[in-house]
Amino acid sequence: MKTKMYWIQTATLLGGTVFAWTTALVDFMRFYNAEGTLLKIKDCIYPNPVTTPCFYGAIAFAVAFAWSVALLKKEGEMRRKSEKYLLVLLSAGNVFAWTNFLRLVYDFYTALPGQGVGCSGVPTASPFTTPCFYGSAIFFVALLIALIILKRESEPRSPETK
């Protein structure tokens, strides 16, 4: 059962990684089509994706996913210790993701009517339909899974499972 949770964690982080990098790729393509280069940073129609939180969230997802894959190969105390470090990364990722999302919510609701934009600089009807919200939610689910894993790992083993 414990190993199954590691697979669920890996699948969740894989889904988050695919989602985040798909979003980043769409942002890069939109930016390139509008600007004709990937090197421009100032005075852009859309923000350069390397200046957005979505890009750095995609990197964090990729690192967390790679880490979870490495955890699948470990056992015992080494696996538990490494899971604790992954929990720290997922906690930091959640703070980063939700802080950026809350900033987006604030900016959206303080903008003039019809002027609210999402994290990629694209107009949106609601901040709750943006990739930032979905990425934050996936990061939160991954954090919950890591907490469940560590709770189960810290439970004393019964004589039958030794």
Side-chain angles (χ1 to χ4, degrees), residues 33-50:
N33 287 336
E35 301 295 339
T37 182
L38 294 176
L39 303 176
K40 188 175 178 185
I41 301 292
K42 293 183 178 185
D43 302 322
C44 304
I45 296 170
Y46 301 106
N48 187 317
V50 298

Side-chain angles (χ1 to χ4, degrees), residues 54-133:
C54 294
F55 177 70
Y56 296 98
I59 292 171
F61 264 121
V63 170
F65 170 66
W67 200 320
S68 72
V69 169
L71 279 170
L72 293 172
K73 299 174 184 174
K74 295 182 179 183
E75 291 189 22
E77 188 58 31
M78 284 297 293
R79 182 188 251 185
R80 187 171 180 274
K81 186 176 181 179
S82 190
E83 181 70 27
K84 284 182 180 181
Y85 291 129
L86 177 58
L87 180 70
V88 171
L89 173 64
L90 292 173
S91 297
N94 268 274
V95 169
F96 177 78
W98 288 107
T99 300
N100 283 296
F101 176 69
L102 289 174
R103 185 185 53 82
L104 174 70
V105 168
Y106 175 79
D107 290 347
F108 180 84
Y109 287 113
T110 58
L112 296 172
Q115 303 259 334
V117 295
C119 45
S120 301
V122 178
T124 186
S126 168
F128 297 97
T129 60
T130 62
C132 293
F133 174 71

